[in-house]
Amino acid sequence: MNYEQALEYIHAVQWAGHKPGLSRTRTLLAALGDPQRQLRFVHIAGTNGKGSTAAMMASCLRKAGYRVGLYTSPFINRFNERIQVDGQQIGDQELVELVEKVRPAAETMTDVPTEFEIITALGMLYFAQRQCDVVVLEVGLGGTLDSTNVIDRPECAVITALGMDHVKELGPTLADIAAAKAGIIKEGCPVVSYGGVPEADAVIRRVAAEKHAQLTEVDFGRLQVDGGDLDRVTFDFDGLDRVRLPLIGSYQPRNAALAITALRVMREKGWNIPESAIRAGLETVQWAGRFELLRHQPAFVLDGSHNSHGMTATVQSLRDRFPGQKFVFLVSIMADKDVDKMLELLAPLAVRFVTVAAHTPRATPAQTLAEHIRRCGCTAEAAPTIEAGVKRAVELGGEGPVCALGTLYFSGDVRKAFAEQFPA
C-alpha cells in the first residue's frame, strides 16, 4: 500500500447509513489493543474556536516540556495535519503503516466504521506509539456521540464559544447544542467553559454538577486587548501581560484567555506548566486558515468562518484590522449553512462577491450561490474553479483588500492557488 492508497481507503467510508454512536469506535480500538488507555487527554468541544484553542494549548504544553499530540479537523493543505506530535505532522509512511494495522481490524467488523472513526483510531495508535505525555483532542461534531468521546476522564474538558450550528445533528436550540458539547464532561474531571450564553451556560453548569466536575468559567473581565496590527494582537489577561499573539483575528485573545484558564486549571491538578511556557507557547503558535494574512499589500485574508456565529467574529476582525475599508469577498458556503445570515453580515463590507464551490459534495454550486447573493442585492459573479476565483477576486480587488471565507474546506486550495499565482 502506498500513501495515495492509504488516503483512498480512509476516505472511502462515509457517514451515509451509519447511526451515530460510540460502539464502532470502541470495537475498533479494542481490536487494536485500546491505545487510548495509554494516553492522557485535553478534550475540546464547542462551536467556534476549537482548533485555535487546541493549537494554543498544544503549543504551550510543548513549551512546558511535554511531548504533545494534537488531533484536529479538517485539514487545510494535507490530510497529515490532522495528526501531529510536537508540531510535526504524521509522516506519509507512518500513516501507511498505521492504515495497514487498522484496516484488517475494521474489515472484520459487521458495522463498518466511518471515515472519522477510522481517523480517530489512527490518531490514538500513533499517539500511543509516540508515547505522548498528553494529547490535545478536538471533537469532530457535537461531543456526546463524537468518536473522540471514547476516552476515559480527560485531564481537562474545554468547551469553546457556543452558537447555532449543526442543528440538524445536535438539535434546534442552544440548550440542545450545549447538551451535546457537555457530553465530553466525565465524572470528576475539571471543566473550563468559554461561557457567555446563558441558555447554554445553564446546561453546562447542570451537567458539571451532576458529574461532580469542577467547572471554571473564563473571566473575560480580566482580559484587556491593547491593540493589533496585521502581524500581532497584544493583550493582557489575569496577570499575564503584553502577550503578543500571532493569530490576528480580533476574537483570538478570547480563545487565548480560554486556553490560559484551562492550562492554569491543569497546573492546579499537578501539571508543570509555568507562566513562561504559556507566554512562549502563545507567542509562537501557528494555525493556518484562521484570519490568516496571505499578503500584506494589497491585503489578502483567508478565514475559515463557516457559520453565522463565526462570521460575526470575522466581520469584527475585518473592521478592526481594516477600518473603513471594503472588500472583494471570495466565498464558498456549504448548502446546509444559514447563507442569508452570513450574507447579511458581509454585505455592508462588500464591494462585490466572487463565488466558487469547495471540493466537497456539501458545497453550494458557485452559480447558485452567485444568484442567491444577487437576489440579496449584492454584486456577485461565479468562477468555474477555485484557481480562477482567486485570480478574479485579486483582479477585482485592485489595490484594495480581498477576503476569502465561508468554509475551511476550500482554504488549502485557496492558499495553493494564491501562492502559485502571486509568489512572494
Side-chain angles (χ1 to χ4, degrees):
M1 181 184 288
N2 61 28
Y3 177 70
E4 285 70 29
Q5 290 167 326
L7 286 186
E8 196 178 313
Y9 169 71
I10 290 166
H11 297 319
V13 187
Q14 301 300 323
W15 259 111
H18 286 79
K19 288 183 180 172
L22 303 180
S23 61
R24 287 181 298 272
T25 311
R26 287 198 174 114
T27 302
L28 181 55
L29 286 169
L32 298 167
D34 280 322
Q36 78 281 7
R37 298 239 162 105
Q38 301 168 41
L39 299 163
R40 296 194 288 176
F41 297 93
V42 174
H43 206 183
I44 302 181
T47 304
N48 288 305
K50 294 193 299 288
S52 298
T53 305
M56 289 180 203
M57 290 192 71
S59 181
C60 296
L61 287 162
R62 282 206 326 267
K63 292 293 184 183
Y66 293 105
R67 174 170 287 186
V68 184
L70 177 62
Y71 181 80
T72 59
S73 60
F75 63 90
I76 302 296
N77 297 306
R78 293 192 87 225
F79 174 85
N80 305 43
E81 293 165 30
R82 297 183 64 166
I83 301 171
Q84 300 184 26
V85 172
D86 285 348
Q88 299 298 310
Q89 300 168 22
I90 185 172
D92 291 0
Q93 188 54 38
E94 290 170 309
L95 185 67
V96 168
E97 288 165 9
L98 288 174
V99 168
E100 286 173 341
K101 285 184 182 172
V102 169
R103 184 174 184 169
E107 287 180 346
T108 62
M109 291 169 58
T110 316
D111 190 4
V112 183
T114 67
E115 176 184 15
F116 190 73
E117 290 163 350
I118 285 168
I119 299 166
T120 300
L122 292 168
M124 296 299 184
L125 260 184
Y126 185 61
F127 298 137
Q129 279 180 9
R130 293 294 306 276
Q131 298 181 306
C132 290
D133 299 310
V134 61
V135 175
V136 180
L137 190 66
E138 181 192 346
V139 164
L141 173 65
T144 306
L145 299 178
D146 187 77
S147 68
T148 61
N149 207 30
V150 295
I151 65 169
D152 295 329
R153 184 174 66 191
E155 300 301 303
C156 189
V158 180
I159 299 176
T160 69
L162 295 184
M164 298 297 289
D165 198 13
H166 298 297
V167 293
K168 185 178 166 193
E169 296 87 356
L170 304 180
T173 69
L174 277 167
D176 293 325
I177 288 166
K181 311 295 185 186
I184 68 167
I185 301 172
K186 306 286 198 302
E187 186 72 27
C189 82
V191 185
V192 178
S193 173
Y194 186 101
V197 183
E199 188 183 347
D201 294 345
V203 174
I204 292 163
R205 288 169 190 156
R206 175 177 55 74
V207 174
E210 287 168 357
K211 299 280 187 182
H212 309 100
Q214 173 202 322
L215 172 63
T216 305
E217 293 175 349
V218 182
D219 182 358
F220 288 113
R222 295 178 179 272
L223 176 66
Q224 178 69 46
V225 181
D226 297 337
D229 53 31
L230 296 182
D231 296 304
R232 293 278 187 280
V233 56
T234 304
F235 71 90
D236 307 334
F237 179 68
D238 195 15
L240 196 62
D241 295 340
R242 305 295 299 166
V243 177
R244 289 169 52 76
L245 187 69
L247 307 181
I248 63 169
S250 299
Y251 50 88
Q252 293 291 15
R254 293 177 73 84
N255 290 332
L258 173 63
I260 294 165
T261 304
L263 290 160
R264 286 173 172 172
V265 165
M266 290 176 70
R267 187 166 62 207
E268 287 168 15
K269 300 293 177 185
W271 287 82
N272 181 22
I273 311 167
E275 292 288 284
S276 58
I278 296 176
R279 175 185 295 280
L282 292 174
E283 292 190 341
T284 56
V285 66
Q286 295 179 316
W287 196 231
R290 280 71 169 186
F291 210 83
E292 180 186 12
L293 203 67
L294 300 188
R295 184 174 68 186
H296 275 67
Q297 192 57 44
F300 191 106
V301 179
L302 176 62
D303 188 69
S305 53
H306 54 276
N307 52 46
S308 55
H309 184 257
M311 199 68 81
T312 302
T314 295
V315 165
Q316 187 58 54
S317 297
L318 292 172
R319 291 185 192 280
D320 290 347
R321 299 288 168 264
F322 302 92
Q325 296 192 59
K326 294 210 168 188
F327 294 78
V328 170
F329 286 109
L330 175 66
V331 292
S332 176
I333 300 176
M334 299 297 105
D336 57 350
K337 300 298 180 182
D338 186 350
V339 179
D340 288 338
K341 180 63 179 169
M342 292 163 82
L343 292 175
E344 184 187 310
L345 291 162
L346 291 174
L349 292 182
V351 176
R352 63 198 302 151
F353 290 85
V354 177
T355 63
V356 294
H359 295 135
T360 167
R362 290 173 52 215
T364 306
Q367 197 63 52
T368 306
L369 184 55
E371 286 164 8
H372 191 117
I373 293 170
R374 287 195 287 268
R375 284 198 300 273
C376 294
C378 296
T379 306
E381 62 183 78
T385 64
I386 290 171
E387 293 76 15
V390 168
K391 185 179 180 190
R392 184 63 176 145
V394 170
E395 232 170 61
L396 291 168
E399 292 304 305
V402 174
C403 180
L405 79 177
T407 177
L408 276 167
Y409 286 98
F410 81 156
S411 296
D413 294 318
V414 170
R415 288 175 105 242
K416 183 167 179 275
F418 187 85
E420 286 171 357
Q421 294 176 31
F422 307 100

